[in-house]
Amino acid sequence: MREQPAMSIHHGTTHLDATALTAFGAGQHVRAWQLLGAHVCEQDGVRGTRFATWAPNARAVRVLGDFNHWQGGLHAMQPDPDSGVWQLFVPDLRAGHLYKFEITDVHGQLKLKTDPYGRQFECRPGTAAIVTAASQHVWTDADWLERRGGWQSTALSIYEVHLGSWQRHEDGGFYSYAELADSLIPHVQALGFTHIELLPVTEHPLDQSWGYQTTGYFAPTSRHGTPDEFRSFINRAHEAGIGVLLDWVPGHFPRDEHALARFDGTALYEHEGIERGEHPEWGTLVFNFGRNEVRSFLISSALYWLEEFHLDGLRVDAVASMLYLDYARKPGQWLPNRHGGRENLEAIDFLRELNTVTHRECTGSITIAEESTAWPQVSRPVYLGGLGFTMKWNMGWMHDTLDYLGAEPIYRQFNHQALTFGMMYAYTENFVLPFSHDEVVHGKRSLLGRMPGDEWQQFANLRLLLTYQFSYPGKKLLFMGAELANPWEWNDAVAMPHFLAQDRSRQGIAALLADLNHLYRKEPALFAREFETEGFAWIDCHDASQSVISFERKGADQNLIVVLNFTPVVRENYRIGVHHPGSYREILNSDAAGYGGSNVGNLGQIESEPTPWMGRDHSLCLRLPPLAALWLKPLHQD
């Protein structure tokens, strides 16, 4: 049992800054975690803990915890009538103690609520917050923070990971942040990814939600350790040259009684009424983005993760659900905006403010939108009328690609436009090409399992899928397990099947992925103009009958030729046009024996011929391997 602190029952109001409270109430306090929550501090020469929470409609609020035997009557908080913030200073109370708020709500009912601004929580099933001291972590990543940025013209490939199922102990227990750093960071480094993206580690009560039903918007989950241990994980990633992104969920929150839902007996953080306040698809509640204090809460949460944990960016979940008032709703189940439209005007303003603040305050940080509709200018600057995100997931390209490669090769000729249509809109946004966790669950099968044919064809199709992704303009995202050619769907309750890495054919997939990342980072033609039309040119997009496409990727003074054969047929003497004469080196062949392929190719190098073809003065006569891709580089550019 925790030793009780030697402290006085005497307590008093805190000295919260009036200007800060005004800014909070105006929706302009972007670091509200410094104002609200529990803070070990000194007041009038006395050490103790300051508590503050926003509950404007409560009749009474008390602090209770293991320090007062969970008897809230000993520590009643005092309200500030202007801001609705309740506050209390408890002398002699040190860090490490559990606490909650006991609220007599607007209806006179007692509620036990955890701290919305809690910076650490006890492990589930407990829901109490922990009084947290100032961080003791010493950062050593100043050089990394200084260098990061330049995302428009640098390689960016993301390894998406769920920490809870990356690895487990034999008894099923979770790895600590330190253990995850020991195993995950070297793995990502060996594969050559530039970034790790974490499924939400914001505290959450239900493992099966993968973190997307958040209750602690300022706390890394205690499943894996303390906040400082999470800081150390990020620091070690930065020292290894790897950025860290976080999935962040501002669109909705769970109904759990202990958390935000009807915090003071009213719809405080959420909208009142099911038409705007409830999400019919997920059974969750929707934030009231038009409320000033809610905007202060959410923008402060975003900035907290970027500043306090040195994260390199946020992937913002379910943006489409925020933008549309009728998202997942039938006629009569939603209310229009003040102009009679379906757009959520308050959410639009919030997202623009979110991106403006984070980009201004955290140099080099990025924001990525998971947005699945044709909403315009998601990744365009706010001053140009956009939402201000750095990048957006290209969901259309992802669906077209998986549908195309999921079909038997004999039928692909009839769906050739799935390969070519994406270029019609490829430069309307700054796109990330995602093969995420959502594509390997709920009966969709693993990436390998989605590929048709016998085992050899499945592996060849997977190699082709990955090479196509790294060939195509746009940043890259891949969920953990693809490098293992995992035959099973992702199961969040067990560890990833690392034992598959001993299989030789799967070692070929990992070797290919490492080489793809290496070449992507090395060759400017693949990354320097990913978001510019000048960085891409079709050679031939019309060969539907043979299911072959070819194109150029272009840097400022370099180019690569990409040829992809989506059938299990070796194409002899396949001619494509090129602009420049000379030798072309085969810098990558996804059918190479080292990757588990059949080793069909062009003996590593091929000479151009003075035969005009496809509007170009010269041409290459190639041997195309089956279900495979070639990358060719003019030798004079080496």
Side-chain angles (χ1 to χ4, degrees):
M1 178 179 290
R2 183 188 298 275
E3 181 181 352
Q4 301 302 313
M7 67 180 190
S8 169
I9 295 298
H10 169 76
H11 51 273
T13 58
T14 63
H15 302 302
L16 291 179
D17 182 73
T19 302
L21 288 173
T22 299
F24 172 73
Q28 298 171 356
H29 201 310
V30 299
R31 294 178 178 85
W33 73 86
Q34 298 173 355
L35 179 71
L36 301 175
H39 294 271
V40 178
C41 60
E42 184 175 299
Q43 180 174 302
D44 299 330
V46 178
R47 294 291 294 175
T49 296
R50 182 191 76 200
F51 294 94
T53 193
W54 177 57
N57 303 300
R59 295 184 183 180
V61 183
R62 295 164 288 275
V63 181
L64 70 168
D66 58 3
F67 52 88
N68 61 14
H69 304 286
W70 300 97
Q71 300 297 312
L74 296 174
H75 292 101
M77 303 178 76
Q78 301 300 313
D80 176 71
D82 295 326
S83 66
V85 172
W86 297 71
Q87 44 193 304
L88 175 71
F89 179 78
V90 181
D92 305 319
L93 182 60
R94 299 182 294 270
H97 285 281
L98 303 177
Y99 71 98
K100 288 187 178 184
F101 295 122
E102 184 180 64
I103 297 176
T104 303
D105 72 14
V106 68
H107 307 293
Q109 301 296 313
L110 279 182
K111 293 176 175 285
L112 277 183
K113 291 288 189 178
T114 197
D115 186 355
Y117 289 84
R119 288 170 290 141
Q120 187 178 358
F121 291 88
E122 62 179 333
C123 274
R124 74 216 188 302
T127 58
I130 301 173
V131 177
T132 307
S135 172
Q136 299 300 306
H137 175 73
V138 179
W139 291 100
T140 59
D141 64 347
D143 288 345
W144 168 269
L145 297 178
E146 183 70 24
R147 293 193 313 268
R148 73 180 184 182
W151 51 268
Q152 297 98 327
S153 56
T154 57
L156 195 154
S157 60
I158 302 166
Y159 186 81
E160 188 190 36
V161 61
H162 176 250
L163 291 183
S165 55
W166 159 254
Q167 188 58 281
R168 293 281 187 99
H169 290 292
E170 289 187 4
D171 64 358
F174 291 113
Y175 266 35
S176 68
Y177 289 119
E179 291 170 323
L180 288 163
D182 290 339
S183 59
L184 175 59
I185 291 172
H187 182 80
V188 173
Q189 198 171 27
L191 290 173
F193 286 93
T194 67
H195 287 71
I196 296 169
E197 181 177 315
L198 304 175
L199 269 64
V201 297
T202 40
E203 192 60 87
H204 52 282
L206 181 65
D207 292 352
Q208 289 76 17
S209 79
W210 312 333
Y212 289 97
Q213 298 206 12
T214 297
T215 53
Y217 276 80
F218 296 84
T221 178
S222 295
R223 290 167 175 81
H224 307 294
T226 67
D228 270 359
E229 289 166 344
F230 184 54
R231 289 181 175 93
S232 179
F233 170 87
I234 296 168
N235 198 98
R236 289 178 60 182
H238 287 172
E239 289 179 333
I242 298 169
V244 185
L245 310 174
L246 175 68
D247 274 14
W248 184 65
V249 189
H252 63 111
F253 60 92
R255 298 172 178 270
D256 296 62
E257 285 291 326
H258 72 275
L260 296 179
R262 302 194 77 82
F263 190 76
D264 61 1
T266 67
L268 193 61
Y269 287 86
E270 67 272 37
H271 272 284
E272 187 69 76
I274 62 173
E275 295 87 357
R276 289 199 181 183
E278 299 184 13
H279 197 296
E281 190 173 35
W282 301 320
T284 51
L285 301 176
V286 179
F287 280 108
N288 183 348
F289 302 109
R291 190 155 198 170
N292 291 341
E293 295 87 350
V294 173
R295 289 201 307 277
S296 286
F297 171 80
L298 287 172
I299 291 173
S300 294
S301 172
L303 208 57
Y304 181 78
W305 292 100
L306 296 172
E307 289 190 342
E308 290 290 322
F309 294 99
H310 289 202
L311 285 163
D312 299 289
L314 303 172
R315 177 268 196 184
V316 182
D317 180 65
V319 171
S321 74
M322 302 168 66
L323 292 173
Y324 297 99
L325 295 168
D326 62 345
Y327 185 90
R329 300 178 191 275
K330 298 177 181 178
Q333 294 181 338
W334 61 281
L335 297 175
N337 63 36
R338 60 181 177 269
H339 304 300
R342 58 195 286 255
E343 299 82 11
N344 189 331
L345 303 178
E346 292 82 8
I348 294 167
D349 289 342
F350 161 73
L351 291 171
R352 287 172 171 163
E353 185 178 2
L354 165 74
N355 289 311
T356 299
V357 170
T358 57
H359 293 152
R360 181 188 70 220
E361 300 294 324
C362 299
T363 303
S365 68
I366 62 176
T367 55
I368 302 173
E370 185 209 17
E371 204 286 310
S372 56
T373 75
W375 188 279
Q377 300 197 101
V378 172
S379 59
R380 295 295 180 259
V382 171
Y383 65 81
L384 294 179
L387 293 183
F389 284 95
T390 314
M391 286 168 272
K392 166 183 168 171
W393 276 17
N394 193 336
M395 308 291 276
W397 176 90
M398 177 271 295
H399 285 300
D400 285 347
T401 299
L402 290 177
D403 288 346
Y404 179 86
L405 275 158
E408 291 286 348
I410 194 172
Y411 300 116
R412 290 175 180 171
Q413 60 184 307
F414 306 113
N415 193 28
H416 195 69
Q417 73 278 1
L419 297 177
T420 60
F421 177 69
M423 200 48 61
M424 300 292 290
Y425 60 87
Y427 301 102
T428 59
E429 301 280 2
N430 302 326
F431 279 123
V432 175
L433 310 176
F435 295 134
S436 73
H437 64 281
D438 282 326
E439 309 316 315
V440 293
V441 290
H442 304 321
K444 296 178 182 176
R445 296 165 292 170
S446 67
L447 286 183
L448 180 71
R450 296 172 77 133
M451 300 297 104
D454 58 22
E455 183 177 275
W456 188 92
Q457 289 195 14
Q458 281 189 302
F459 274 84
N461 274 304
L462 180 58
R463 292 192 298 270
L464 181 55
L465 173 73
L466 297 175
T467 310
Y468 179 47
Q469 180 189 29
F470 277 77
S471 304
Y472 200 89
K475 309 306 182 184
K476 328 301 178 188
L477 180 141
L478 196 62
F479 185 57
M480 65 181 194
E483 73 276 21
L484 297 173
N486 190 350
W488 306 291
E489 278 195 343
W490 170 47
N491 183 350
D492 65 272
V494 298
M496 199 172 72
H498 294 279
F499 62 86
L500 292 175
Q502 305 306 313
D503 181 79
R504 177 165 293 183
S505 60
R506 289 174 164 84
Q507 290 171 357
I509 297 292
L512 171 65
L513 192 52
D515 284 351
L516 289 171
N517 267 310
H518 170 72
L519 289 171
Y520 175 45
R521 298 170 77 162
K522 177 186 176 184
E523 299 292 341
L526 292 171
F527 63 76
R529 292 180 168 179
E530 284 189 298
F531 300 140
E532 302 173 25
T533 56
E534 295 82 2
F536 178 94
W538 284 113
I539 297 174
D540 187 1
C541 61
H542 300 298
D543 193 1
S545 63
Q546 298 188 88
S547 299
V548 176
I549 58 172
S550 54
F551 51 83
E552 285 182 278
R553 294 295 310 280
K554 298 186 288 186
D557 54 4
Q558 291 185 332
N559 72 300
L560 290 178
I561 304 297
V562 177
V563 188
L564 302 110
N565 176 14
F566 291 91
T567 64
V569 177
V570 177
R571 303 288 181 192
E572 303 284 359
N573 302 315
Y574 191 89
R575 190 173 295 274
I576 63 170
V578 294
H579 287 295
H580 303 289
S583 299
Y584 285 73
R585 185 163 62 91
E586 195 176 80
I587 65 171
L588 186 129
N589 180 342
S590 68
D591 191 50
Y595 303 144
S598 57
N599 223 30
V600 172
N602 300 274
L603 301 178
Q605 189 170 316
I606 188 168
E607 297 291 326
S608 70
E609 298 177 3
T611 304
W613 204 259
M614 301 173 178
R616 291 166 167 83
D617 294 336
H618 311 274
S619 58
L620 301 176
C621 192
L622 300 168
R623 191 177 191 222
L624 301 187
L627 293 175
L630 300 178
W631 289 0
L632 303 163
K633 182 179 181 181
L635 202 60
H636 71 272
Q637 293 182 7
D638 281 347

